[in-house]
Amino acid sequence: MLQINNLHVKLEEEDKQILKGVDLTVEAGKVHAIMGPNGSGKSTLSYVLSGREGYEVTDGSVSLEGEDVLELEPEERAALGIFLAFQYPIEIPGVGNMTFLRTALNAQRKAKGQEEMSAADFLKLIREKAKDLKIDADMLKRPVNVGFSGGEKKRNEILQMAVLEPKMCILDETDSGLDVDAMKLVADGVNALRSEGRGFLVITHYQRLLDHIVPDVVHIMADGRIVKTGGPELALEVEKNGYGDILAEVA
Ligand code: ADP
Ligand code: MG
Ligand code: MG
């Protein structure tokens, strides 16, 4: 599904190399987790995959189902099926949540050569998905994320994901700032979307999210590289001993 080879990324503004040769393959149907100390480059990787500006790829490649991702504009990546749930979801004053979702969904359908979804069908779809995530009608009518609590914002990210049904879902610290109940809602939402044709990259600093979204593969990122890969037990090792042991071992 997603193939990243030798990815090197620096900041556009300053001469600072952040990713220093990331290699990663996420197979369809699998959930890969990336853990790592603060500042190791996890968010940068997710931004670069989604096409955010400010970063320059100096070497390496990224492909989704064989298509060169780095050549594409952010909206083309979205149409191709890459979705990033942000660590800090942005507020969009003046744009209703429902309008935003419907516009995003129809843009994607258009890119795929499909017809727009009717207002009635969309309403049915959104009500059903929102119910699962305990998102009430009021939250659907309000401007995107404006005045939402931290937990509501994260749930709203998962709602976007559930509506858009991307091929490759990237979640950047979706658990940060969530209480246990909100985290479970988010995890249930993600688990409901796990399917054969969809890959997940779940970025988290802490292990606890991975109790609820059990990954197939766990990677440890440090100083712009993936330094260790293993199964779910690797996350438990981090929980128990911190990153120190692993970093010392690979140094
Ligand atoms: P993580 O998500 O693992 O905590 P980040 O990808 O946010 O790490 O950051 C990796 C490194 O790159 C950090 O040292 C961070 O300070 C630096 N960095 C990332 N983006 C910028 C930026 N726009 N300007 C300056 N430094 C940045
Ligand atoms: Mg961080
Ligand atoms: Mg981060």
Side-chain angles (χ1 to χ4, degrees):
M1 168 87 25
L2 180 72
Q3 186 141 19
I4 303 173
N5 287 320
N6 192 35
L7 187 64
H8 285 70
V9 171
K10 71 181 266 301
L11 290 176
E12 238 163 38
E13 297 281 301
E14 22 175 327
D15 209 19
K16 184 174 175 186
Q17 200 74 33
I18 301 178
L19 300 183
K20 303 172 182 175
V22 174
D23 290 299
L24 178 69
T25 302
V26 180
E27 307 82 3
K30 301 286 184 199
V31 175
H32 285 237
I34 298 186
M35 303 182 74
N38 262 323
S40 53
K42 305 183 298 297
S43 289
T44 301
L45 176 63
S46 68
Y47 295 151
V48 170
L49 293 176
S50 68
R52 180 154 157 169
E53 55 191 25
Y55 301 94
E56 188 187 327
V57 175
T58 54
D59 203 359
S61 62
V62 178
S63 64
L64 187 82
E65 293 186 314
E67 279 215 50
D68 183 354
V69 168
L70 299 177
E71 289 283 297
L72 303 175
E73 297 298 322
E75 61 274 19
E76 295 172 316
R77 298 179 194 205
L80 195 64
I82 296 180
F83 180 91
L84 171 62
F86 289 105
Q87 182 171 359
Y88 306 106
I90 45 169
E91 299 181 1
I92 315 179
V95 179
N97 208 15
M98 276 237 265
T99 308
F100 173 80
L101 283 165
R102 190 162 169 231
T103 306
L105 179 64
N106 281 329
Q108 233 180 65
R109 290 171 72 97
K110 197 173 164 200
K112 287 185 206 157
Q114 297 167 344
E115 270 183 38
E116 281 198 1
M117 187 178 273
S118 74
D121 284 347
F122 177 75
L123 201 60
K124 208 174 140 215
L125 173 80
I126 190 99
R127 280 193 179 139
E128 185 190 309
K129 307 272 186 199
K131 197 170 153 228
D132 294 338
L133 288 158
K134 295 200 164 59
I135 288 171
D136 61 30
D138 182 48
M139 255 173 84
L140 291 174
K141 279 185 225 140
R142 275 151 59 189
V144 181
N145 289 328
V146 176
F148 287 24
S149 72
E152 287 171 342
K153 282 182 182 171
K154 298 292 172 94
R155 266 150 52 201
N156 202 40
E157 295 281 294
I158 305 302
L159 176 67
Q160 290 169 16
M161 204 165 84
V163 168
L164 297 175
E165 300 193 315
K167 281 186 199 154
M168 186 65 223
C169 303
I170 306 162
L171 287 83
D172 187 14
E173 298 205 25
T174 301
D175 51 333
S176 69
L178 294 190
D179 61 31
V180 178
D181 291 331
M183 192 178 59
K184 277 193 185 138
L185 275 178
V186 162
D188 288 347
V190 170
N191 287 329
L193 283 169
R194 286 173 89 147
S195 83
E196 262 173 42
R198 183 169 294 133
F200 284 88
L201 200 53
V202 176
I203 298 171
T204 180
H205 185 71
Y206 296 106
Q207 188 270 338
R208 58 173 200 165
L209 180 68
L210 306 180
D211 282 337
H212 303 285
I213 305 173
V214 179
D216 298 291
V217 183
V218 174
H219 307 275
I220 307 295
M221 191 160 185
D223 194 24
R225 282 188 201 92
I226 286 170
V227 296
K228 190 163 180 172
T229 295
E233 74 286 348
L234 190 52
L236 296 171
E237 191 186 322
V238 167
E239 172 79 350
K240 206 168 139 224
N241 304 324
Y243 290 106
D245 287 359
I246 292 169
L247 300 188
E249 179 194 320
V250 297

